[in-house]
Amino acid sequence: MENSSPAAALGRALWALFLATLGSAAGQPLGGESVCTARPLARYSITFTGKWSQTAFPKQYPLFRPPAQWSSLLGAAHSSDYSMWRKNEYVSNGLREFAEQGEAWALMKEIEAAGEKLQSVHGVFSASAIPSGTGQTSGELEVHSRHSLVSFVVRIVPSPDWFVGVDSLDLCAGDRWKEQAALDLYPYDAGTDSGFTFSSPNFATIPQDTVTEITSSSPNHPANSFYYPRLKSLPPIARVTLVQLRQSPRAFVPPAPGLASRDNEIVDSLSVPETPLDCEVSLWSSWGLCGGPCGKLGAKSRTRYVRVQPANNGIPCPKLEEETECVPDNCV
């Protein structure tokens, strides 16, 4: 029969309080959030796939000096006490340098400081840069039951301060580690530079803004390199896949594209989206002089030029010259 004496009840209450305090000290979430009880360590392969193609993103696609490419990937395995970046919040100085210039040193020092002072970071991981808009890079990382969250950033090159990444992806599912996780990635603005286009000059945002997601209609300005008003949403510009390593890392073979994850049932399509890009023309010029013989109607014309050539079955360009009748000028 269970002991229900006041002393026993007090003992159980104190033990529960001790466990809660221990979890909090270890960086585990309280207040209803799940606590990871999986085995202490797990290793994962992380594969970053760039999908930034001229077909998917034809507007102002960078072809030269520099062409479209991705920076190196920098990430950390951490607890809920640490945040590398977060939507609608201000970025740190380290992430600002990374998003604007691709300089990782300051961000690395910030991650290291969080690990030393708060014990909230278990380890740092990275993957090499991709020299084109499409391609793959991969690395490995280790997570701990007290540090089961994964965050990372990859800079979009060239860009003012744009990046893609993941904020606090939890690889632990209660008492087990997830076999696989896959996410489509979309561009974010770090809020530190006010440029509209991939090749915009450096123009600091004062005061600094928060991290915002870039969409097909936001910023709502035709000059924006990701402005596609006909689309409800942008196609994914990248994708990340994490797969748990069972045996030796050398024996690991990444899953082929098109296979569904058993955990998420996410299918990585092989098809490349074709984003329609409509023709954009300038405003009409002023009407030219009216020419023709005196005493009869003459003609005058005005012109405009193509600012953006159409692509992928976008709306074609309208006529670029217009003519109308007029009375000849300066007839003698």
Side-chain angles (χ1 to χ4, degrees):
M1 183 174 179
E2 183 179 353
N3 187 351
S4 58
S5 67
L10 178 61
R12 289 193 295 273
L14 290 174
W15 178 248
L17 179 62
F18 169 74
L19 291 177
T21 304
L22 182 63
S24 177
Q28 289 300 304
L30 298 177
E33 295 186 32
S34 61
V35 175
C36 180
T37 57
R39 65 184 187 278
L41 296 175
R43 291 191 63 79
Y44 284 83
S45 169
I46 180 169
T47 301
F48 176 87
T49 304
K51 295 190 170 185
W52 185 18
S53 68
Q54 190 172 11
T55 303
F57 299 92
K59 186 174 184 181
Q60 302 168 2
Y61 189 80
L63 295 173
F64 312 103
R65 296 183 296 182
Q69 57 190 277
W70 298 97
S71 77
S72 57
L73 178 151
L74 181 62
H78 58 91
S79 69
S80 59
D81 296 330
Y82 172 75
S83 173
M84 177 178 286
W85 68 277
R86 190 153 291 164
K87 186 177 178 180
N88 299 325
E89 293 187 7
Y90 297 102
V91 299
S92 64
N93 289 331
L95 189 48
R96 174 179 187 151
E97 289 189 13
F98 186 85
E100 289 188 6
Q101 305 168 27
E103 297 290 339
W105 176 252
L107 182 56
M108 286 283 292
K109 296 298 290 183
E110 291 174 356
I111 298 172
E112 181 182 332
E116 291 177 353
K117 295 178 182 178
L118 302 176
Q119 302 296 310
S120 57
V121 175
H122 175 70
V124 180
F125 58 90
S126 64
S128 58
I130 303 176
S132 61
T134 59
Q136 282 191 341
T137 185
S138 60
E140 293 180 8
L141 61 100
E142 184 179 79
V143 286
H144 190 275
S145 56
R146 296 195 304 271
H147 304 85
S148 61
L149 306 180
V150 169
S151 297
F152 70 83
V153 287
V154 183
R155 180 176 181 249
I156 298 174
V157 184
S159 74
D161 59 342
W162 302 340
F163 69 95
V164 298
V166 163
D167 168 33
S168 303
L169 172 65
D170 198 346
L171 293 177
C172 186
D175 61 351
R176 66 181 182 89
W177 293 104
K178 294 179 180 178
E179 296 289 337
Q180 178 173 329
L183 293 172
D184 286 329
L185 305 178
Y186 300 88
Y188 281 91
D189 187 323
T192 62
D193 194 295
S194 297
F196 266 134
T197 66
F198 295 120
S199 57
S200 292
N202 184 31
F203 186 71
T205 301
I206 301 175
Q208 181 177 332
D209 204 352
T210 58
V211 175
T212 55
E213 184 176 353
I214 301 172
T215 70
S216 59
S217 58
S218 179
N220 188 12
H221 195 289
N224 175 23
S225 291
F226 287 110
Y227 184 71
Y228 296 95
R230 287 179 57 187
L231 299 183
K232 291 184 178 180
S233 60
L234 291 174
I237 196 171
R239 184 175 176 83
V240 64
T241 304
L242 296 103
V243 180
Q244 187 181 169
L245 298 175
R246 290 298 189 183
Q247 303 296 329
S248 167
R250 293 182 180 179
F252 168 70
V253 178
L259 294 182
S261 161
R262 286 183 293 171
D263 278 358
N264 321 48
E265 296 186 354
I266 298 175
V267 177
D268 186 7
S269 174
L270 289 172
S271 62
V272 177
E274 289 192 356
T275 301
L277 181 63
D278 299 337
C279 178
E280 293 182 17
V281 296
S282 68
L283 297 175
W284 285 110
S285 67
S286 301
W287 288 104
L289 295 175
C290 183
C294 291
K296 296 183 179 180
L297 288 177
K300 59 182 179 180
S301 64
R302 61 179 183 176
T303 61
R304 55 186 175 185
Y305 61 90
V306 176
R307 298 176 60 185
V308 176
Q309 290 287 352
N312 304 328
N313 297 315
I315 297 175
C317 294
K319 62 179 182 179
L320 302 178
E321 186 171 355
E322 192 174 63
E323 196 172 86
T324 188
E325 292 181 338
C326 59
V327 176
D329 299 315
N330 300 325
C331 258
V332 179

